[in-house]
Amino acid sequence: MKRRPKAVLAALAAVMIATVGCGSSHHDSEGITLVVADGFSGGHPVSKGGSAPFFAYLREHGPAVGLHLDYYGAGQLGKTQEMLTLVRTGAVDMGFALPAYLADELPLTGVGDLPGLTEDPCATIQVLDPLVKPGGIIYDKEIEKRGVVPLWGAAVSGIEVFTADRRATRPEDLAGLLVRSPGGVGDRVAKGLGVAPVSLPVGDMYEALSRGTIDGALLPRYAVLSYSFQEVLRYGTLRANLGSSTIWFTMNADTWAELDDTQRRVVREAAEVARAGACTSIAAADAKAVDAMRAAGIHFDEVSPETRPQWDAALAGIRAEWVRDLESAGLDAREVLDAIEARVEGAAK
């Protein structure tokens, strides 16, 4: 019997969970059809280099092994914050999870967002990938319990602080500002810089900046032009190394268990295409963004060798604080951070 989400047209997560809680994939004589939720627009670098090639690979190679897609894009089936719940409960079979939005559910997975690990999106995800996948320390200690299997990830590195009317050559220049933060580790970064983090959907930021409700935002470089924020922002840091925003594309664990070996092989191959493509696409978008923002009138204050120690000092306590807070909640944060730092050090040699 074919089973599909009954609330697809309404895209209401609560209704979907109630009606299809036992799972959204369906089997027939042609194989298994996976219900896929994609939260990124087609122009987003994670979509261009990652999810679009991932789905294209599955559409090309999946039918031969009995895999088919029932695809819903642009957040049709739920908000990004809801996607882990939708995948875990089986309302959808595949979807994105962003640790920054899920600090209560994926606190250890948020280790990849910490500042100072690496500024290269490809290097960041290369360090994290085996630790988040089955058999890795983060998977074993946290993700497996959530009922999902990470397939591939992306790291939006190069986060900077942008402001409407205050230059920041040093962290103390930002003191007292209200700055939009993505949440999770981003809130810790904001506080380390001496600013007050504000939780705000990206869609509400333009008006908040234009009205002066907030003074700035922690953003990846390419995001400024994507949302026309250059019209309401005037200044930005450059190479402040304020951390990353990691993204994991996941599958429901029960659905993964239903796949046979050949189907899993095709999914893994598609995931490798996506992982490699997403980091390249993010790096390319960032490289173009700085010149484009300068042309649009944004002034950048690049962190220099003279000011680097001051920025590093402002962020120096964040890792220790992250470990302390998570260990107080009974989580093995020190062990996870040690594993990450060892891989970063090994990659640098």
Side-chain angles (χ1 to χ4, degrees), residues 15 73 130 161-162 218 248:
V15 175
V161 58
F162 293 89
L218 290 169
W248 296 98

Side-chain angles (χ1 to χ4, degrees), residues 16 26 56 77 115 124 157-158 165 244 255 278 293 295:
M16 286 180 61
H26 65 271
L77 300 188
T124 299
S157 301
D165 56 16
S244 301
T255 303
M293 281 188 284

Side-chain angles (χ1 to χ4, degrees), residues 214-228:
I214 60 174
D215 302 300
L218 290 169
L219 289 168
R221 290 184 283 262
Y222 68 77
V224 173
L225 297 175
S226 298
Y227 296 96
S228 299

Side-chain angles (χ1 to χ4, degrees), residues 150-165:
L151 300 177
W152 57 275
V156 179
S157 301
I159 290 178
E160 308 284 358
V161 58
F162 293 89
T163 63
D165 56 16

